[in-house]
């Protein structure tokens, strides 16, 4: 049945304002980790909205939390001792895995 499966494609509109903004910011600082997070969020969200499952949904959720903190201007050392909801306390949910570099690019290509 594998021969009947449609090939997956990710189409990016280079004229979209989000893509243009991401490109401009990436060209300004190629080592900006928040830009890498945003690009991976865009990719993973496109997978989810197309009906695919993520390999590790916890990493995706962590990226979302990190972007929310960044958007609100919350630094890690500013968080009070008991912050976060009860489901995350004590399980290390605020400890984010490091961003992948080369593996992210190859994982994006694997979807093809």
């Amino acid at each position: 049945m594998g021969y009947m499966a449609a090939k997956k494609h990710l189409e990016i509109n280079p004229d979209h304002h989000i893509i243009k903004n991401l490109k401009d910011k990436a060209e300004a600082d190629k080592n900006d980790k928040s830009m890498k997070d945003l690009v991976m969020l865009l990719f993973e969200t496109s997978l989810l909205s197309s009906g695919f499952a993520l390999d590790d949904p916890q990493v995706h959720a962590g990226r979302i939390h990190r972007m929310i903190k960044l958007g609100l201007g919350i630094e890690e050392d500013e968080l009070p001792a008991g912050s976060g909801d009860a489901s995350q306390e004590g399980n290390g949910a605020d400890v984010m895995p490091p961003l992948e570099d080369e593996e992210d690019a190859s994982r994006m290509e694997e979807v093809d």
Side-chain angles (χ1 to χ4, degrees), residues 4-107:
M4 296 178 66
K7 188 169 179 157
K8 301 170 196 107
H9 297 277
L10 174 64
E11 295 182 15
I12 297 174
N13 179 358
D15 296 324
H16 194 278
H17 63 276
I18 291 175
I19 300 300
K20 285 182 177 181
N21 199 315
L22 285 172
K23 181 181 180 258
D24 292 342
K25 290 184 185 281
E27 287 175 349
D29 184 5
K30 294 184 187 292
N31 295 320
D32 185 0
K33 290 186 180 197
S34 65
M35 288 304 303
K36 291 178 183 180
D37 265 346
L38 287 170
V39 169
M40 285 305 299
L41 279 174
L42 185 64
F43 171 69
E44 291 169 346
T45 303
S46 67
L47 283 176
L48 288 173
S49 64
S50 297
F52 297 101
L54 297 178
D55 292 334
D56 192 356
Q58 292 298 327
V59 173
H60 181 71
R63 282 191 179 101
I64 291 172
H65 290 156
R66 194 168 31 226
M67 289 295 107
I68 291 171
K69 288 177 185 177
L70 180 67
L72 294 174
I74 299 172
E75 297 292 329
E76 292 298 321
D77 54 352
E78 290 180 16
L79 294 174
S83 68
D85 54 85
S87 65
Q88 292 183 349
E89 287 183 18
N91 69 359
D94 284 342
V95 178
M96 296 302 304
L99 287 173
E100 303 89 8
D101 288 323
E102 297 302 319
E103 291 179 24
D104 282 343
S106 64
R107 192 171 85 220

